[in-house]
Amino acid sequence: MVTGQRGRPRSFDRDAALDKAMTAFWERGYEATSISDLTALLGISAPSLYAAFGDKRKLFDEVVVVYGGRYGDFASVALAEEPTARAAVERILREAAEVYTDPAHPRGCMVISAAINTTSDEVAAALRDRRNANLEMFESRIRADVATGVLPADTDARALARYAGAVLQGMSQQSRDGASRGELEAVAARALLAWPPA
């Protein structure tokens, strides 16, 4: 009599599987990454994938959390650590140029690029909410500088936050189109020229 457990094998490495799934979603986006792509990459059957992660959407949600902790939190760290919003945005753009072009992983930002062409309103909304949360952090930090006199009283904090976000998102796409780290650093330096004087 043969005995054994159904589902994922004992050798299943959840962290390694999440890494592989993250690379797939990062390279191809949510929509273009199929269940068959994922099972082939992870080396497991579809039932094992569902047993381990639920479904494609739940797997993607978990991947987004892993991505944020490993590659996407540099903005919130800079906003918390730097003395001014300008210094934080300068650091964010500089670090983005490095992260977005690092050859150790796909180019750009997964949260920016993974929802392109998706037909899932839920996935698009979840990623949009994450991007908008970053803009709110930018705006809050800029408003704090206006309140303390670091920035002029007439500074449009919302517009300046959206400007910084637009540059960041543009840098992500430029990196996917082949821009080098140096080219993106030049974009970052040019973008900061629009920052209001203290």
Side-chain angles (χ1 to χ4, degrees), residues 89 131-132 134-143 155-169 195-196:
V89 169
R131 293 190 300 270
N132 284 336
N134 281 338
L135 292 180
E136 288 169 13
M137 284 192 305
F138 288 4
E139 184 176 349
S140 176
R141 191 67 180 84
I142 291 164
R143 286 191 189 285
T155 299
D156 185 336
R158 187 170 182 80
L160 191 55
R162 285 204 170 274
Y163 170 74
V167 173
L168 197 59
Q169 290 173 15
W195 201 265

Side-chain angles (χ1 to χ4, degrees), residues 74-96 138 141-142 145 150-151 160 164 188 192 195-198:
F74 62 89
S76 58
V77 171
L79 287 164
E81 291 180 354
E82 294 300 326
T84 65
R86 186 193 188 285
V89 169
E90 180 177 11
R91 175 174 160 185
I92 289 164
L93 296 180
R94 187 179 66 248
E95 290 181 0
F138 288 4
R141 191 67 180 84
I142 291 164
D145 281 3
V150 173
L151 286 171
L160 191 55
L192 287 164
W195 201 265

Side-chain angles (χ1 to χ4, degrees), residues 15-40:
D15 291 338
L18 285 168
D19 280 346
K20 290 175 183 177
M22 178 171 59
T23 298
F25 286 127
W26 198 345
E27 284 178 344
R28 303 172 194 168
Y30 177 80
E31 192 75 21
T33 305
S34 68
I35 290 293
S36 60
D37 292 333
L38 292 166
T39 56

Side-chain angles (χ1 to χ4, degrees), residues 15-80:
D15 291 338
L18 285 168
D19 280 346
K20 290 175 183 177
M22 178 171 59
T23 298
F25 286 127
W26 198 345
E27 284 178 344
R28 303 172 194 168
Y30 177 80
E31 192 75 21
T33 305
S34 68
I35 290 293
S36 60
D37 292 333
L38 292 166
T39 56
L41 279 169
L42 276 52
I44 59 175
S45 66
S48 294
L49 186 143
Y50 292 127
F53 299 105
D55 59 20
K56 178 180 167 181
R57 170 65 199 281
K58 288 176 184 170
L59 170 58
F60 181 71
D61 288 344
E62 200 167 332
V63 161
V64 169
V65 171
V66 172
Y67 172 85
R70 192 175 305 165
Y71 302 107
D73 285 348
F74 62 89
S76 58
V77 171
L79 287 164

